[in-house]
């Protein structure tokens, strides 16, 4: 069975996959080969789905080399710094939340060149999907299957902004009876597109094995990803963008003035290591097909900032040097006594000159006299901190599914069900390290002078589902039920009085739908309804002053109604959808235009903030014009509005009302090219709808050729040129409350790939 499985997988990865998805009761689409070609091999796997109807992906640069600025929007649901409302899986396995602080999106698990396809369910989604973030659909990123033949694929990419990537994948062929595998390795580097000062580095290792033992098909996958990203920063308000559309207010040079150096780009960093592995078994017992897997995931890393002061956490007495200035002293927890900005050579805190008015005007509109070296006597020594939030998460889980095909009263009936169990613990600490010499660099003492907190978040998830599908002849109808049981806790290792926990169980969730063929050959109608749910995340428990009685799980009702058509040269879909999203959990940020509350001393936390209602249409069309030319188009009309009393009827932040894509692709022999253009309509920047991000249009171009039959040692050589944002459109990408990240400029990349 394994040789057939490998051959089938190899063919699947090579053929053009239609964007019109499976014949099911909900809207779904798949990426195509052409969509993959529009992106460079350095690009994040998230970018591959941007042309599908209803989907908007924004990243800080073309390569997706910054999780901080990344967002996904589908039908008014968002994944960004503060919201996780769209489910994400890897080969059908839960990704472990998509949040910045301890979560991981699919780009942490998969190298772009190992991606077979992405299955996108925009709304109701499949009942078996493993996620407790899937309020508005799911994204399943499917890895490439091993091929039958032994081969080596090597690839080198050179791009603008110091971009380069080296990739190699060895496909073993049959290494043992009915056993096939591949192993890959890659190294990637780039800088930021604004000043070319960022140091973005990514190392990725992965392997996949398939085998048949008796009547059991086994699949195993493992990946390790080590990433260092220097972030892009949001700009606040439209005036900053109008003033300079190529600068995010982070600096490239160290000034020696701590207040200004809090905006130093290399001090805004995300470091993550992710190891993920699973083992899957598929087998049949009698008339029942079973599929089960176990998986393990470990995530660790940190997020960095550069506060322009030391925190005074030790009462050293009057007129003596502060112990925070001396290396080797660490305080765990405790109270904040104040901030230290300048000291003398003995480490004694200095006060600014009476009546001095600061001349510092950047960033955040300027600073007070305590931050300004010009307001201190000559010889004052600036001091500052390097603050790291340190994350570690370990997940272990098991999934089980069954499918039983039978007949009821001469009608085909399929009963399927399954479960998902996951246990994880996320650790989070925050450390403050003294910058060794704030006058000269951001290098810091590796021994912290203060560990602000140390806490762990155990989370246990159990999900069950059951669905029955009956073929009535004129239609296939299904009905399903699903329920989650989620327990979330916090254990404070410094102060047990802050321990807390919450049960985040769902109600019984119902889904139903049908698919009915129509009299026109290849045309079918579908309709689906599902109650979706997102659990309370452990991040809600982070703040010690969180009142969990004010927070409950998010819920959403999703309805799809549509038509789907498929023929030899044409495939098309049209979907009307309506969603009602209740009990939206919203984070009240502690970062504003006036600066960052590094100590989190201001009020901030998570609350249920009303809800959202969305209605709209999604359409897609693929048409093979001739032997050489094909065209693809998608259109989205979306109306997402808040339902809470204060902003009732106002448009949702970051949700585009109109989106459209047109792609033309050309193939002649071994040569190919394509041009794709996407329009994104106006998006609101605030709930009051008093400021909006302008519409934008970006185009991506690719051109390539392959040379085959080069002899016994070389199977093929491919050369690919990719130009993203071809016409260098200036625009705003990810949108947050009263803020947005600047979109990536034109980026050119050249890739050379060889197979042996």
């Amino acid at each position: 069975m394994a040789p057939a499985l490998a051959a089938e997988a190899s063919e699947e990865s090579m053929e053009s996959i239609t964007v019109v998805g499976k014949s099911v009761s909900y809207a779904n689409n798949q990426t195509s080969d052409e969509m993959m070609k529009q992106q460079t091999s350095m690009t994040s796997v998230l970018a591959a789905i941007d042309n599908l109807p209803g989907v908007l992906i924004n990243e800080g640069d073309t390569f997706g080399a910054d999780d901080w600025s990344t967002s996904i929007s589908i039908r008014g649901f968002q994944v960004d710094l503060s919201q996780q409302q769209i489910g994400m899986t890897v080969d059908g396995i839960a990704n472990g939340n998509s949040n910045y602080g301890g979560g991981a999106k699919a780009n942490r698990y998969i190298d772009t060149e190992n991606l077979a396809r992405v299955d996108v369910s925009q709304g109701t989604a499949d009942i078996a999907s493993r996620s407790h973030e899937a309020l508005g659909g799911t994204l399943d990123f499917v890895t490439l299957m091993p091929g039958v033949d032994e081969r080596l694929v090597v690839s080198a990419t050179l791009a603008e902004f110091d971009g380069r990537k080296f990739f190699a994948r060895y496909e073993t062929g049959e290494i043992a009876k009915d056993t096939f595998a591949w192993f890959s390795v890659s190294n990637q580097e780039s800088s930021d597109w604004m000043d070319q000062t960022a140091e973005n580095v990514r190392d990725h290792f992965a392997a996949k094995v398939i085998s048949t033992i008796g009547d059991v098909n086994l699949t195993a996958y493992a990946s390790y990803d080590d990433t260092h990203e220097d972030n892009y920063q949001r700009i606040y308000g439209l005036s900053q963008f109008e003033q300079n559309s190529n600068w995010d207010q982070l600096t490239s040079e160290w000034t020696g003035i701590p207040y200004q150096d809090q905006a130093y780009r290399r001090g805004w960093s995300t470091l993550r290591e992710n190891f993920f592995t699973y083992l899957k078994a598929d087998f049949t017992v009698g008339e029942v097909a079973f599929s089960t897997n176990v998986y393990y995931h470990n995530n660790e890393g940190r997020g960095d900032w550069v506060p322009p002061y030391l925190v005074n956490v030790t009462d050293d007495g009057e007129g003596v040097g502060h112990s925070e200035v001396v290396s080797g002293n660490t305080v765990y927890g405790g109270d904040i006594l104040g901030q230290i900005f300048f000291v003398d050579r003995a480490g004694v805190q200095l006060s600014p000159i009476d009546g001095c008015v600061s001349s510092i005007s950047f960033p955040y509109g300027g600073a007070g006299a305590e931050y300004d070296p010009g307001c201190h006597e000559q010889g004052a020594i600036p001091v500052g901190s390097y603050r790291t939030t340190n994350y570690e998460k370990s997940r272990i889980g098991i999934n089980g599914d069954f499918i039983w095909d039978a007949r009821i009263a001469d009608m085909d009936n399929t009963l399927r069900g399954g479960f998902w169990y996951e246990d994880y613990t996320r650790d989070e600490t925050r450390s403050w390290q003294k910058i060794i010499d704030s006058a000269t660099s951001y290098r810091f003492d590796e021994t912290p002078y203060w560990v602000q907190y140390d806490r762990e978040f155990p989370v246990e998830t159990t999900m069950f589902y059951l669905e029955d599908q009956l073929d009535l002849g004129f239609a296939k109808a299904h009905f399903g039920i699903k329920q989650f049981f989620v327990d979330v806790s916090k254990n404070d290792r410094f102060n047990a009085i802050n321990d807390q926990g919450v049960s985040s169980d769902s109600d019984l969730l119902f889904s139903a739908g049908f698919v009915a063929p129509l009299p026109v050959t290849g045309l079918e109608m579908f309709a689906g309804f599902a109650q979706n749910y997102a659990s309370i995340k452990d991040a809600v428990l982070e703040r010690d002053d969180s009142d969990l009685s004010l927070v409950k799980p998010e819920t959403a009702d999703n309805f799809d109604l549509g038509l789907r058509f498929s023929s030899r040269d044409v495939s098309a879909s049209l979907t009307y959808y309506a969603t009602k999203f209740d009990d939206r959990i919203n984070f009240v940020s502690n970062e504003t235009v006036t600066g960052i509350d590094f100590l989190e001393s201001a009020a901030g936390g998570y609350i249920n903030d009303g809800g959202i209602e969305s209605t709209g249409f999604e359409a897609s069309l693929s048409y093979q014009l001739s032997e050489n030319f094909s065209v693809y188009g998608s259109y989205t009309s979306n109306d997402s509005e808040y339902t809470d009393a204060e902003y009732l009827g106002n448009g949702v932040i970051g949700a585009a009302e109109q989106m459209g894509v047109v792609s033309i692709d050309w193939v002649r022999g071994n040569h190919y090219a394509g041009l794709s253009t996407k329009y994104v309509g106006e998006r609101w920047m605030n709930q009051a709808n008093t400021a909006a991000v302008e519409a934008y249009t970006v185009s991506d171009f690719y051109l390539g050729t392959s040379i085959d039959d080069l002899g016994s040692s070389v199977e093929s050589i491919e050369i690919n040129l990719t130009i993203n944002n071809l016409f260098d459109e200036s625009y705003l990408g990810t949108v947050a409350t009263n803020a947005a990240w600047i979109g990536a400029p034109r980026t050119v990349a050249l890739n050379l790939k060889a197979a042996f």
Side-chain angles (χ1 to χ4, degrees), residues 130-163:
R130 268 73 174 176
S131 174
H132 39 51
E133 296 179 330
L135 285 162
T138 58
L139 314 174
D140 185 28
F141 293 79
V142 181
T143 57
L144 197 68
M145 293 290 279
V148 174
D149 300 321
E150 182 181 11
R151 69 199 298 253
L152 174 66
V153 178
V154 295
S155 170
T157 303
L158 296 177
E160 290 187 277
F161 314 119
D162 302 323

CSV table of all heavy atoms in Angstrom, one decimal, residues 130-163:
chain,number,residue,atom,x,y,z
A,130,ARG,N,-9.3,20.5,14.7
A,130,ARG,CA,-8.8,20.6,16.0
A,130,ARG,C,-8.3,22.0,16.3
A,130,ARG,O,-7.1,22.3,16.0
A,130,ARG,CB,-7.6,19.6,16.2
A,130,ARG,CG,-8.0,18.2,16.7
A,130,ARG,CD,-8.7,17.3,15.7
A,130,ARG,NE,-8.9,16.0,16.3
A,130,ARG,CZ,-9.6,15.0,15.7
A,130,ARG,NH1,-10.1,15.2,14.5
A,130,ARG,NH2,-9.7,13.9,16.3
A,131,SER,N,-9.1,22.8,16.9
A,131,SER,CA,-8.7,24.1,17.3
A,131,SER,C,-9.7,24.7,18.2
A,131,SER,O,-10.9,24.5,18.0
A,131,SER,CB,-8.6,25.0,16.1
A,131,SER,OG,-8.3,26.3,16.5
A,132,HIS,N,-9.3,25.4,19.3
A,132,HIS,CA,-10.3,26.1,20.1
A,132,HIS,C,-10.1,27.6,19.9
A,132,HIS,O,-10.3,28.4,20.7
A,132,HIS,CB,-10.3,25.8,21.6
A,132,HIS,CG,-8.9,25.5,22.2
A,132,HIS,ND1,-7.9,26.3,22.1
A,132,HIS,CD2,-8.5,24.5,22.9
A,132,HIS,CE1,-6.9,25.8,22.7
A,132,HIS,NE2,-7.2,24.7,23.2
A,133,GLU,N,-9.6,27.9,18.6
A,133,GLU,CA,-9.6,29.3,18.1
A,133,GLU,C,-10.6,29.5,16.9
A,133,GLU,O,-10.7,30.6,16.5
A,133,GLU,CB,-8.2,29.8,17.7
A,133,GLU,CG,-7.2,29.8,18.9
A,133,GLU,CD,-5.8,30.2,18.4
A,133,GLU,OE1,-5.4,29.9,17.3
A,133,GLU,OE2,-5.1,30.8,19.3
A,134,ALA,N,-11.1,28.4,16.4
A,134,ALA,CA,-11.8,28.5,15.1
A,134,ALA,C,-13.2,29.1,15.2
A,134,ALA,O,-14.2,28.4,15.0
A,134,ALA,CB,-11.8,27.1,14.5
A,135,LEU,N,-13.3,30.4,15.5
A,135,LEU,CA,-14.6,31.0,15.4
A,135,LEU,C,-15.0,31.3,14.0
A,135,LEU,O,-16.2,31.2,13.7
A,135,LEU,CB,-14.5,32.4,16.2
A,135,LEU,CG,-14.4,32.3,17.7
A,135,LEU,CD1,-13.9,33.6,18.3
A,135,LEU,CD2,-15.8,32.0,18.2
A,136,GLY,N,-14.1,31.5,13.2
A,136,GLY,CA,-14.4,31.9,11.8
A,136,GLY,C,-13.6,31.1,10.8
A,136,GLY,O,-12.8,31.6,10.0
A,137,GLY,N,-13.7,29.8,10.8
A,137,GLY,CA,-13.0,29.0,9.8
A,137,GLY,C,-11.6,28.5,10.3
A,137,GLY,O,-11.1,28.8,11.4
A,138,THR,N,-11.0,27.7,9.4
A,138,THR,CA,-9.7,27.1,9.7
A,138,THR,C,-8.8,27.1,8.5
A,138,THR,O,-9.3,27.1,7.4
A,138,THR,CB,-9.9,25.6,10.2
A,138,THR,OG1,-10.5,24.8,9.1
A,138,THR,CG2,-10.7,25.5,11.4
A,139,LEU,N,-7.5,27.1,8.8
A,139,LEU,CA,-6.5,27.0,7.8
A,139,LEU,C,-5.7,25.7,8.1
A,139,LEU,O,-5.1,25.6,9.1
A,139,LEU,CB,-5.5,28.2,7.8
A,139,LEU,CG,-6.2,29.6,7.9
A,139,LEU,CD1,-5.1,30.6,8.1
A,139,LEU,CD2,-7.0,29.8,6.7
A,140,ASP,N,-5.7,24.7,7.1
A,140,ASP,CA,-4.9,23.5,7.3
A,140,ASP,C,-3.8,23.5,6.4
A,140,ASP,O,-4.0,23.5,5.1
A,140,ASP,CB,-5.8,22.3,7.1
A,140,ASP,CG,-5.1,21.0,7.4
A,140,ASP,OD1,-4.1,21.0,8.3
A,140,ASP,OD2,-5.4,20.0,6.8
A,141,PHE,N,-2.6,23.5,6.9
A,141,PHE,CA,-1.3,23.6,6.1
A,141,PHE,C,-0.8,22.1,5.9
A,141,PHE,O,-0.5,21.5,6.9
A,141,PHE,CB,-0.3,24.5,6.7
A,141,PHE,CG,-0.7,25.9,6.7
A,141,PHE,CD1,-1.6,26.4,7.7
A,141,PHE,CD2,-0.2,26.8,5.8
A,141,PHE,CE1,-2.0,27.7,7.7
A,141,PHE,CE2,-0.6,28.1,5.8
A,141,PHE,CZ,-1.5,28.6,6.7
A,142,VAL,N,-0.8,21.6,4.7
A,142,VAL,CA,-0.5,20.2,4.4
A,142,VAL,C,0.9,20.1,3.9
A,142,VAL,O,1.3,20.7,2.9
A,142,VAL,CB,-1.5,19.7,3.4
A,142,VAL,CG1,-1.2,18.2,3.1
A,142,VAL,CG2,-2.9,19.9,3.9
A,143,THR,N,1.7,19.3,4.6
A,143,THR,CA,3.1,19.1,4.2
A,143,THR,C,3.2,18.1,3.0
A,143,THR,O,2.4,17.2,2.8
A,143,THR,CB,4.0,18.6,5.3
A,143,THR,OG1,3.4,17.4,5.9
A,143,THR,CG2,4.0,19.7,6.4
A,144,LEU,N,4.3,18.2,2.2
A,144,LEU,CA,4.6,17.4,1.1
A,144,LEU,C,4.8,15.9,1.5
A,144,LEU,O,5.4,15.7,2.5
A,144,LEU,CB,5.8,17.9,0.4
A,144,LEU,CG,6.1,17.5,-1.0
A,144,LEU,CD1,5.1,18.1,-2.0
A,144,LEU,CD2,7.5,17.9,-1.4
A,145,MET,N,4.3,15.0,0.7
A,145,MET,CA,4.5,13.6,1.0
A,145,MET,C,5.7,13.1,0.3
A,145,MET,O,6.1,13.6,-0.7
A,145,MET,CB,3.3,12.8,0.5
A,145,MET,CG,2.0,13.0,1.3
A,145,MET,SD,2.0,12.4,3.0
A,145,MET,CE,1.6,10.7,2.7
A,146,PRO,N,6.4,12.1,0.9
A,146,PRO,CA,7.6,11.6,0.2
A,146,PRO,C,7.2,10.9,-1.2
A,146,PRO,O,6.2,10.4,-1.4
A,146,PRO,CB,8.1,10.5,1.2
A,146,PRO,CG,7.5,10.8,2.5
A,146,PRO,CD,6.2,11.5,2.2
A,147,GLY,N,8.2,11.0,-2.1
A,147,GLY,CA,8.0,10.4,-3.4
A,147,GLY,C,8.5,9.0,-3.5
A,147,GLY,O,9.2,8.5,-2.6
A,148,VAL,N,8.3,8.4,-4.6
A,148,VAL,CA,8.7,7.0,-4.8
A,148,VAL,C,10.2,6.9,-5.1
A,148,VAL,O,10.9,6.0,-4.6
A,148,VAL,CB,7.9,6.4,-6.0
A,148,VAL,CG1,8.4,5.0,-6.3
A,148,VAL,CG2,6.4,6.3,-5.6
A,149,ASP,N,10.8,7.9,-5.9
A,149,ASP,CA,12.1,7.8,-6.3
A,149,ASP,C,13.1,8.6,-5.5
A,149,ASP,O,12.7,9.6,-4.9
A,149,ASP,CB,12.2,8.3,-7.8
A,149,ASP,CG,11.3,7.5,-8.7
A,149,ASP,OD1,11.3,6.3,-8.6
A,149,ASP,OD2,10.7,8.1,-9.6
A,150,GLU,N,14.3,8.1,-5.4
A,150,GLU,CA,15.4,8.8,-4.7
A,150,GLU,C,15.8,10.0,-5.5
A,150,GLU,O,16.0,10.0,-6.7
A,150,GLU,CB,16.6,7.9,-4.5
A,150,GLU,CG,17.7,8.6,-3.8
A,150,GLU,CD,19.0,7.7,-3.6
A,150,GLU,OE1,19.0,6.6,-4.3
A,150,GLU,OE2,19.9,8.0,-2.9
A,151,ARG,N,15.9,11.2,-4.8
A,151,ARG,CA,16.3,12.4,-5.5
A,151,ARG,C,16.7,13.4,-4.5
A,151,ARG,O,16.4,13.3,-3.3
A,151,ARG,CB,15.1,13.0,-6.4
A,151,ARG,CG,14.0,13.5,-5.6
A,151,ARG,CD,12.7,13.7,-6.4
A,151,ARG,NE,12.8,14.6,-7.5
A,151,ARG,CZ,12.3,15.8,-7.6
A,151,ARG,NH1,11.6,16.2,-6.6
A,151,ARG,NH2,12.4,16.5,-8.6
A,152,LEU,N,17.5,14.3,-4.9
A,152,LEU,CA,18.0,15.4,-4.1
A,152,LEU,C,17.6,16.8,-4.8
A,152,LEU,O,17.9,17.0,-5.9
A,152,LEU,CB,19.5,15.4,-4.0
A,152,LEU,CG,20.2,16.6,-3.2
A,152,LEU,CD1,19.8,16.6,-1.8
A,152,LEU,CD2,21.7,16.5,-3.4
A,153,VAL,N,17.0,17.6,-4.0
A,153,VAL,CA,16.6,18.9,-4.5
A,153,VAL,C,17.3,20.0,-3.7
A,153,VAL,O,17.3,20.0,-2.4
A,153,VAL,CB,15.0,19.2,-4.3
A,153,VAL,CG1,14.7,20.5,-4.8
A,153,VAL,CG2,14.3,18.1,-5.1
A,154,VAL,N,18.0,20.9,-4.4
A,154,VAL,CA,18.7,22.0,-3.8
A,154,VAL,C,18.3,23.3,-4.4
A,154,VAL,O,17.9,23.3,-5.5
A,154,VAL,CB,20.3,21.8,-3.9
A,154,VAL,CG1,20.8,20.6,-3.2
A,154,VAL,CG2,20.7,21.8,-5.4
A,155,SER,N,18.2,24.3,-3.5
A,155,SER,CA,17.7,25.6,-4.0
A,155,SER,C,18.5,26.7,-3.3
A,155,SER,O,18.8,26.6,-2.1
A,155,SER,CB,16.2,25.6,-3.6
A,155,SER,OG,15.7,26.9,-3.8
A,156,ALA,N,18.7,27.8,-4.1
A,156,ALA,CA,19.3,29.0,-3.6
A,156,ALA,C,18.5,30.2,-4.0
A,156,ALA,O,18.2,30.3,-5.2
A,156,ALA,CB,20.8,29.1,-4.1
A,157,THR,N,18.3,31.1,-3.1
A,157,THR,CA,17.5,32.3,-3.4
A,157,THR,C,18.3,33.5,-3.0
A,157,THR,O,18.8,33.5,-1.8
A,157,THR,CB,16.1,32.3,-2.7
A,157,THR,OG1,15.4,31.1,-3.0
A,157,THR,CG2,15.3,33.5,-3.0
A,158,LEU,N,18.3,34.5,-3.8
A,158,LEU,CA,18.9,35.8,-3.5
A,158,LEU,C,17.8,36.8,-3.7
A,158,LEU,O,17.1,36.8,-4.7
A,158,LEU,CB,20.1,36.1,-4.4
A,158,LEU,CG,21.3,35.2,-4.2
A,158,LEU,CD1,22.4,35.5,-5.2
A,158,LEU,CD2,21.9,35.2,-2.8
A,159,ALA,N,17.7,37.8,-2.8
A,159,ALA,CA,16.6,38.8,-2.8
A,159,ALA,C,17.1,40.1,-2.3
A,159,ALA,O,18.2,40.2,-1.7
A,159,ALA,CB,15.4,38.3,-2.0
A,160,GLU,N,16.3,41.1,-2.6
A,160,GLU,CA,16.6,42.4,-2.1
A,160,GLU,C,16.6,42.4,-0.5
A,160,GLU,O,16.1,41.5,0.1
A,160,GLU,CB,15.6,43.4,-2.6
A,160,GLU,CG,15.7,43.8,-4.1
A,160,GLU,CD,14.8,44.9,-4.5
A,160,GLU,OE1,13.6,44.6,-4.8
A,160,GLU,OE2,15.3,46.0,-4.6
A,161,PHE,N,17.1,43.5,0.0
A,161,PHE,CA,17.1,43.7,1.5
A,161,PHE,C,17.9,42.6,2.2
A,161,PHE,O,17.5,42.0,3.2
A,161,PHE,CB,15.7,43.8,2.0
A,161,PHE,CG,14.8,44.8,1.2
A,161,PHE,CD1,13.7,44.3,0.6
A,161,PHE,CD2,15.2,46.1,1.1
A,161,PHE,CE1,12.9,45.2,-0.2
A,161,PHE,CE2,14.5,47.0,0.3
A,161,PHE,CZ,13.3,46.5,-0.3
A,162,ASP,N,19.0,42.3,1.6
A,162,ASP,CA,20.0,41.3,2.1
A,162,ASP,C,19.4,39.9,2.3
A,162,ASP,O,19.8,39.1,3.1
A,162,ASP,CB,20.5,41.7,3.5
A,162,ASP,CG,21.2,43.1,3.4
A,162,ASP,OD1,21.9,43.3,2.4
A,162,ASP,OD2,21.1,43.9,4.3
A,163,GLY,N,18.4,39.6,1.4
A,163,GLY,CA,17.7,38.3,1.5
A,163,GLY,C,18.5,37.2,0.8
A,163,GLY,O,19.0,37.4,-0.3
